[in-house]
Amino acid sequence: EVMPYFLLYVYLLALLIPLTHSFVVLKSLIGHVNLPREAFYIGETVNIHYLVKNRSIFRIPYMELNSNIAKRLSGRESKVEVISLESKQEFSKNESIVLRRRGYYELGDMVVTVKDVFRFFSLKKTISSDSGLIVYPKIIKLSTFEIMASQQLGELRVFDPAFSDKSRISTLKPYQEGDSVKKVHWKMSAKQDNLVIKDYENRGDTYVTILIDNFHLYFNKDVDRRLEDKVVDIAICMVNYCLDQRVEVVLETQNNQQSIRMSGQQKSDLKPFLTAMALFKGNGASNFRDFMETRAETIRRGTTVIIITTCLDKTMGAQGIRLKMSNLNPLFIVATDSENRNGHIDADIEKKLKHEGINIYIIDHYTSIKEAMEVQYG
């Protein structure tokens, strides 16, 4: 009669020992995830460092290390690491990920699974990371502001007279591929037997305001956030050029019902723009007409107003005319995704704006922003 109870106790003890062992080592496990820095650009590679340490006096015969961080950042699953750890031993690994998408990412969790030597029990522990990673949009650099409207509108140069004072030469520099032939200093080039470029001073009364129309209805069917990303790339491209030229630039848009506004004039002012555009979404609560209701009167006269939108309709056209009549210089950049039939351009409105001398650029998802906006004159 005693034997069955003895066997039962032995069996329970055999289960209790590995369970207790697993529980103790699980409690003793610590770990963390480290990044070399907190901010990156699209296309850069980030090296993520994982570390797990067994602080107990017991050996861990079987442990799985799984993380969703790589999937969160790149969309691909990480390999599950299966290891064993001796007492006081630690395990570390590095994982390289190419960042494909702008935005802010919380790194998320690392899940550790501990099993006993007989694989009777499986206990899990989540090691959370408080770190975050911001991925900035890639900067597309323009070498000139001598740009043309889209091919649909013919050759319409803009910005050239607004951004530089042709009567005042700031510096002379060697000719580089991409420089406008119109800037060649022919007398100095003849003396030096090399082409020399005149670098004009920027006018002190030059101002640019960039208005991004992110009304949520225009982004409802945005496939893979293509329109969002194109709008961001265009905005950062324009801001970067203005700051390179030390031209005062203001950018305004929305985040749901919140108004977003930032300004700068030096290259050191770029970071707030990058941060805002990394977090940009097509979620604006107000349509552009309502958005402009209080803004048109506050923009300094003579300012070049760049309107980035995905919808060039009658209402948007009316806003352009209104700005023109207010002694402002409106310019439309329309982002489209023709492959997925996203983005709207009213041909009649396009013609009327052209007739009024308002320039328009139409930039599709696959269109190179640099090629579309950077045109040299000889």
Side-chain angles (χ1 to χ4, degrees):
E1 294 182 1
V2 176
M3 185 60 66
Y5 288 101
F6 175 76
L7 294 176
L8 175 62
Y9 293 146
V10 170
Y11 176 73
L12 292 176
L13 185 62
L15 294 178
L16 184 60
I17 290 175
L19 177 61
T20 303
H21 175 273
S22 297
F23 182 77
V24 169
V25 296
L26 189 71
K27 292 288 288 184
S28 73
L29 279 175
I30 59 171
H32 60 254
V33 182
N34 283 339
L35 296 172
R37 60 184 193 273
E38 295 180 353
F40 293 82
Y41 288 88
I42 287 178
E44 285 192 300
T45 299
V46 56
N47 292 309
I48 305 174
H49 179 72
Y50 303 87
L51 183 140
V52 176
K53 184 174 182 179
N54 175 19
R55 296 184 300 171
S56 75
I57 60 173
F58 301 110
R59 180 176 182 273
I60 303 177
Y62 183 95
M63 185 175 75
E64 293 180 359
L65 178 63
N66 191 17
S67 171
N68 62 358
I69 295 174
K71 185 175 182 180
R72 188 183 296 268
L73 294 177
S74 67
R76 65 175 178 84
E77 298 279 356
S78 291
K79 176 185 176 183
V80 177
E81 297 286 346
V82 179
I83 59 174
S84 61
L85 282 180
E86 301 296 332
S87 172
K88 309 299 181 180
Q89 187 181 15
E90 64 182 37
F91 169 79
S92 65
K93 75 166 188 173
N94 292 307
E95 186 172 26
S96 296
I97 297 172
V98 178
L99 301 171
R100 303 294 186 188
R101 168 130 293 173
R102 63 181 173 86
Y104 177 79
Y105 302 90
E106 294 181 353
L107 289 190
D109 303 327
M110 179 169 57
V111 179
V112 178
T113 303
V114 172
K115 296 183 180 181
D116 63 276
V117 68
F118 303 110
R119 311 290 171 86
F120 289 155
F121 304 103
S122 179
L123 303 180
K124 293 187 178 182
K125 181 174 186 175
T126 299
I127 299 175
S128 299
S129 172
D130 296 329
S131 300
L133 172 69
I134 189 165
V135 182
Y136 294 141
K138 188 176 181 179
I139 299 174
I140 300 169
K141 296 185 178 181
L142 299 181
S143 62
T144 179
F145 249 131
E146 293 177 341
I147 48 182
M148 302 169 70
S150 61
Q151 292 182 353
Q152 295 94 324
L153 296 179
E155 296 187 355
L156 298 173
R157 178 157 49 157
V158 296
F159 288 118
D160 190 25
F163 283 87
S164 59
D165 185 347
K166 294 295 188 285
S167 66
R168 303 178 64 183
I169 298 175
S170 175
T171 59
L172 297 175
K173 62 180 184 179
Y175 175 86
Q176 295 182 349
E177 184 178 353
D179 287 332
S180 172
V181 177
K182 279 197 169 185
K183 294 182 180 180
V184 174
H185 194 302
W186 294 110
K187 289 185 179 180
M188 188 61 67
S189 298
K191 288 181 180 180
Q192 297 189 7
D193 200 25
N194 280 306
L195 289 179
V196 177
I197 298 298
K198 297 174 285 187
D199 193 8
Y200 298 106
E201 288 186 359
N202 292 313
R203 290 176 47 168
D205 59 347
T206 301
Y207 308 101
V208 173
T209 292
I210 300 173
L211 303 174
I212 302 179
D213 175 21
N214 66 331
F215 187 39
H216 66 94
L217 291 182
Y218 301 151
F219 293 85
N220 281 345
K221 298 180 180 179
D222 188 10
V223 177
D224 197 28
R225 297 169 61 190
R226 285 183 170 192
L227 287 179
E228 274 189 15
D229 290 344
K230 203 67 177 181
V231 165
V232 166
D233 289 345
I234 293 167
I236 288 297
C237 176
M238 303 309 295
V239 167
N240 183 70
Y241 192 91
C242 290
L243 297 182
D244 272 345
Q245 302 300 313
R246 300 181 298 281
V247 170
E248 184 175 335
V249 59
V250 174
L251 184 147
E252 295 194 60
T253 187
Q254 306 175 82
N255 180 19
N256 290 315
Q257 297 180 347
Q258 179 186 5
S259 294
I260 305 296
R261 185 184 190 276
M262 61 209 67
S263 62
Q265 191 170 7
Q266 307 296 327
K267 194 57 185 273
S268 57
D269 298 327
L270 182 60
K271 187 174 180 180
F273 292 96
L274 287 170
T275 301
M277 290 297 95
L279 305 178
F280 174 84
K281 294 181 180 179
N283 63 357
S286 300
N287 60 43
F288 194 72
R289 181 182 60 190
D290 295 339
F291 179 73
M292 285 298 298
E293 192 169 314
T294 59
R295 287 173 172 79
E297 301 302 322
T298 63
I299 301 175
R300 187 184 285 112
R301 297 297 167 257
T303 295
T304 296
V305 181
I306 301 174
I307 302 167
I308 304 175
T309 184
T310 63
C311 181
L312 188 63
D313 58 6
K314 185 177 180 180
T315 300
M316 184 62 75
Q319 293 299 319
I321 299 297
R322 178 188 175 192
L323 293 172
K324 184 81 173 181
M325 293 176 65
S326 300
N327 295 320
L328 297 168
N329 303 308
L331 161 68
F332 286 94
I333 305 179
V334 187
T336 62
D337 179 9
S338 57
E339 183 179 5
N340 293 292
R341 299 182 180 180
N342 281 329
H344 172 73
I345 300 171
D346 187 315
D348 291 335
I349 299 301
E350 182 183 353
K351 291 178 182 178
K352 289 178 182 178
L353 291 174
K354 174 187 175 182
H355 181 73
E356 295 293 334
I358 298 175
N359 299 292
I360 303 173
Y361 296 82
I362 300 171
I363 302 183
D364 197 60
H365 170 68
Y366 289 113
T367 301
S368 164
I369 295 173
K370 185 177 178 68
E371 292 179 5
M373 306 192 72
E374 184 179 88
V375 177
Q376 305 298 326
Y377 289 80

